[in-house]
Amino acid sequence: MPSIEQLVCFVSAAESGSFSAASRELGKAQSAVSTAINNLEIDADVELFDRSSRSPKLTEAGEALLKSARTVLHS
């Protein structure tokens, strides 16, 4: 089960389009955001972002999790 912190970092990165923008938005170090998302990916055993380009893009699994994460965080 992902932590609320992991979900917040994930949603922020997905919505802002970058881990650095998410870190600024959340007032956290970029390494903390990256670590939270990496741990979320490890725990879920799935890649949530395609990091092959300069800006991370959501994978299909990331898109699916984003919908669920928003529901959890806004309930």
Side-chain angles (χ1 to χ4, degrees), residues 20-71:
S20 59
S23 68
R24 288 190 298 274
E25 179 181 301
L26 298 172
K28 297 181 180 294
Q30 183 176 343
S31 61
V33 172
S34 294
T35 298
I37 293 170
N38 284 335
N39 288 339
L40 180 58
E41 290 178 316
I42 290 166
D43 292 347
D45 194 28
V46 68
E47 192 172 281
L48 299 171
F49 288 95
D50 175 357
R51 296 173 176 83
S52 62
S53 65
R54 184 162 164 78
S55 297
K57 301 287 182 212
L58 284 174
T59 62
E60 281 188 39
E63 291 281 359
L65 180 62
L66 182 58
K67 291 175 185 168
S68 298
R70 284 177 174 152
T71 300

